[in-house]
Amino acid sequence: MAHNLAVLYIISILVGFTLCASLLYFKLVQHINDSGAEQLQAEITSVRALLSTPAGLNAIKQMMAAEARGEDATTNCILMRVVDREGEVIVDCPNLRGTVPDSAFPPAGDTRARKYQGRAGDFLLRTAKLSDPVSEARGWRLLIGLDLAEHNKLINVYRTYLVLFGLGAFLFAIPSSYVVVRRGLKPLDDFCNSIKNITGSRLSTRLEAESFPTEMHPVVDAVNAMMVRLESSFQRLSHYSGNLAHELRTPINNMMLEAEIALSQERTPQEYQEIISSSLTEYERLAAVIDKLLFLARADNEKNDLMFERLDAGAEVEEVVDYFSEEAGAAGISLVSYVEASFWGDRTLFRRALSNLISNALTYTPAGGEVTIFSSEGSNGEVEISVADTGCGIYSEHLPFLFDRFYRVKSGSQHRGTGLGLAIVKAIMEMHNGDASAWSRPGHGTTVTLHFPPHPSLQAPPDERE
């Protein structure tokens, strides 16, 4: 990873340098060309001003003669030639003779500058009209050029410097990029090493955000939050494994003990029937636990197999209430419902969840108490169906674990049930993309609420519940 980042860093440096150098180079060339054109225009203006004087032509001839004698010869002079309508030379610069032909200059009337590459070098050429009365009367025009040797030399030197600077930048970018990348990735290496030290026996370990750069604090916080969830899940899994072993061991030990006692001596047929009947009770208990465990195991994988339909909550609740009414009457408990709502759900699973809640409520409500089922609808179409009892209630420290598998609240000196009823309720609600919550007050009762979303394809909105 460090090697790839270093290569990308080097490439980005080279690309950035190349773009900047190219822009500067082309700007310099443009500036030099513009300065050459401006220099030509200034010379044209000077020649026009000189020829507008009576002795202007003679002065130009004297300068050319002095240059021919070598008295004012230069290699980068302004090259000029004055010709008439027929192209006959009136006066010209000695350095221009045999260097640039008349055909290389722009035609009469074309005021644009033109570049010319000849054996003697590169030149910038222009043709200009002379505006003094004598020149206009005779049809004279000015052919003027600028030797670009010095300009090209300056451009070549600048180009050479850019290449050398580019090579230097490349050589500097190689070690510097590796140093920068390795220093930048060091916090990530420390982060990975810290995570490697976390094992199943050290899930309580948390990363210190202060040990990492500010940019990594969100990642560190996310990992710490994940570790909290993992630790909680691991602890619950450990409890689940222990409770599962206990739940399966108890009926098996009971059956083994009964079988050993039965085989210890001769028994009458009636005694054998009683032993088999007792064993059958344990079989039923074991089968019920296994059935519930299989349901929970399939719950996460069969969400798409549910038969969702629009249910009349009032009618469905009444069906379940009628089923438990005889049991409630025998226990001296009032079982009533006030449900007027409809929602999307699986009929069989809803009845199973509601049956579990009512069964729990009847189990923990004393004679003379009341179990009430009621409903409410939210503004977004979500439906809540609650089962409230007036039983013994549950202390607040148990509420976060109430829907865990095999979790049972101690009542008196014994635990009742298998601890899977509310876990099944939670699984059913998750299959509906809903949620289940519990509220309780010791000595006053418990209320368990099922939260159904407007449609099972939607996630139920989180509620703020105490």
Side-chain angles (χ1 to χ4, degrees):
M1 180 178 179
H3 174 74
N4 295 336
L5 288 177
V7 171
L8 292 176
Y9 184 69
I10 293 172
I11 293 175
S12 63
I13 291 178
L14 293 179
V15 171
F17 179 83
T18 301
L19 292 176
C20 293
S22 300
L23 178 62
L24 292 175
Y25 175 76
F26 288 116
K27 283 295 183 180
L28 176 65
V29 172
Q30 182 181 0
H31 176 72
I32 292 176
N33 291 336
D34 292 342
S35 65
E38 292 174 358
Q39 189 174 357
L40 281 181
Q41 183 61 44
E43 291 298 331
I44 292 173
T45 303
S46 299
V47 171
R48 285 174 176 172
L50 188 60
L51 289 177
S52 63
T53 61
L57 182 59
N58 291 331
I60 293 177
K61 289 181 178 181
Q62 290 176 2
M63 286 190 296
M64 299 305 170
E67 183 176 336
R69 293 192 299 270
E71 297 176 0
D72 193 25
T74 60
T75 57
N76 190 35
C77 64
I78 295 295
L79 309 175
M80 65 176 227
R81 176 181 297 159
V82 179
V83 297
D84 58 13
R85 292 189 182 91
E86 288 74 24
E88 295 295 330
V89 177
I90 306 302
V91 61
D92 63 351
C93 175
N95 291 337
L96 188 60
R97 299 168 189 169
T99 302
V100 181
D102 291 350
S103 60
F105 287 89
D110 188 354
T111 60
R112 294 174 298 177
R114 174 187 298 179
K115 278 191 175 182
Y116 170 74
Q117 294 180 342
R119 288 177 296 176
D122 297 341
F123 300 88
L124 186 64
L125 307 178
R126 275 194 62 182
T127 300
K129 179 182 178 181
L130 297 176
S131 56
D132 62 284
V134 175
S135 299
E136 286 185 342
R138 298 178 181 180
W140 291 355
R141 68 181 188 274
L142 175 64
L143 308 180
I144 190 169
L146 176 65
D147 190 352
L148 298 178
E150 291 296 327
H151 293 183
N152 291 340
K153 182 179 179 181
L154 178 61
I155 293 174
N156 291 335
V157 169
Y158 188 76
R159 185 167 55 240
T160 302
Y161 283 156
L162 287 180
V163 173
L164 293 177
F165 288 150
L167 180 61
F170 175 72
L171 295 177
F172 173 77
I174 293 177
S176 64
S177 61
Y178 277 95
V179 172
V180 171
V181 169
R182 288 192 179 276
R183 288 182 61 88
L185 291 180
K186 186 178 183 303
L188 186 59
D189 293 336
D190 296 340
F191 179 77
C192 294
N193 293 331
S194 300
I195 293 180
K196 289 179 181 178
N197 294 328
I198 300 176
T199 61
S201 59
R202 301 179 60 186
L203 291 178
S204 60
T205 303
R206 300 292 181 266
L207 302 179
E208 296 182 2
E210 294 76 13
S211 302
F212 299 95
T214 305
E215 295 78 8
M216 292 188 64
H217 285 182
V219 179
V220 174
D221 294 339
V223 170
N224 286 337
M226 180 187 67
M227 293 305 303
V228 172
R229 295 192 297 270
L230 283 177
E231 183 181 15
S232 176
S233 299
F234 193 81
Q235 290 175 351
R236 293 185 182 186
L237 181 60
S238 299
H239 293 313
Y240 169 73
S241 300
N243 292 329
L244 176 60
H246 176 74
E247 288 296 328
L248 297 179
R249 182 183 63 183
T250 300
I252 292 176
N253 286 343
N254 291 339
M255 290 185 290
M256 289 178 59
L257 180 61
E258 290 176 348
E260 291 174 354
I261 294 175
L263 295 175
S264 64
Q265 61 183 11
E266 291 292 332
R267 304 287 179 180
T268 64
Q270 183 178 358
E271 289 176 332
Y272 280 121
Q273 288 181 354
E274 291 176 355
I275 293 173
I276 294 175
S277 177
S278 177
S279 297
L280 184 60
T281 302
E282 296 296 339
Y283 288 140
E284 292 175 351
R285 176 185 175 189
L286 188 60
V289 172
I290 294 175
D291 178 67
K292 293 177 180 179
L293 290 175
L294 288 175
F295 176 84
L296 291 172
R298 293 194 301 263
D300 292 336
N301 301 319
E302 297 184 356
K303 290 184 179 180
N304 296 329
D305 297 334
L306 302 186
M307 299 295 294
F308 286 111
E309 56 183 311
R310 193 71 177 178
L311 299 178
D312 182 351
E316 298 299 325
V317 171
E318 284 298 328
E319 290 284 343
V320 179
V321 168
D322 288 342
Y323 176 81
F324 284 97
S325 60
E326 184 176 348
E327 178 183 347
I333 300 172
S334 173
L335 180 60
V336 295
S337 65
Y338 306 96
V339 177
E340 293 183 1
S342 62
F343 62 94
W344 285 91
D346 183 284
R347 185 188 306 275
T348 302
L349 292 182
F350 170 68
R351 289 186 177 185
R352 181 168 187 175
L354 186 62
S355 296
N356 286 355
L357 296 182
I358 295 177
S359 177
N360 276 359
L362 293 176
T363 300
Y364 292 98
T365 301
E370 183 179 71
V371 175
T372 306
I373 303 98
F374 58 92
S375 65
S376 63
E377 293 189 58
S379 58
N380 296 325
E382 63 273 12
V383 174
E384 294 184 350
I385 297 178
S386 302
V387 178
D389 62 60
T390 58
C392 59
I394 303 171
Y395 287 99
S396 59
E397 60 266 22
H398 297 291
L399 292 179
F401 312 102
L402 202 59
F403 294 94
D404 292 350
R405 299 175 185 183
F406 291 113
Y407 189 84
R408 290 171 295 185
V409 180
K410 190 173 183 180
S411 176
S413 60
Q414 296 181 346
H415 294 287
R416 302 183 188 179
T418 61
L420 293 174
L422 290 180
I424 290 177
V425 171
K426 179 181 179 181
I428 291 175
M429 294 311 300
E430 290 178 347
M431 295 170 72
H432 285 77
N433 278 337
D435 190 18
S437 63
W439 176 91
S440 184
R441 183 179 177 187
H444 292 77
T446 302
T447 300
V448 179
T449 302
L450 306 180
H451 309 269
F452 290 91
H455 192 274
S457 62
L458 303 176
Q459 184 69 35
D463 298 325
E464 296 182 0
R465 294 178 290 271
E466 296 295 327

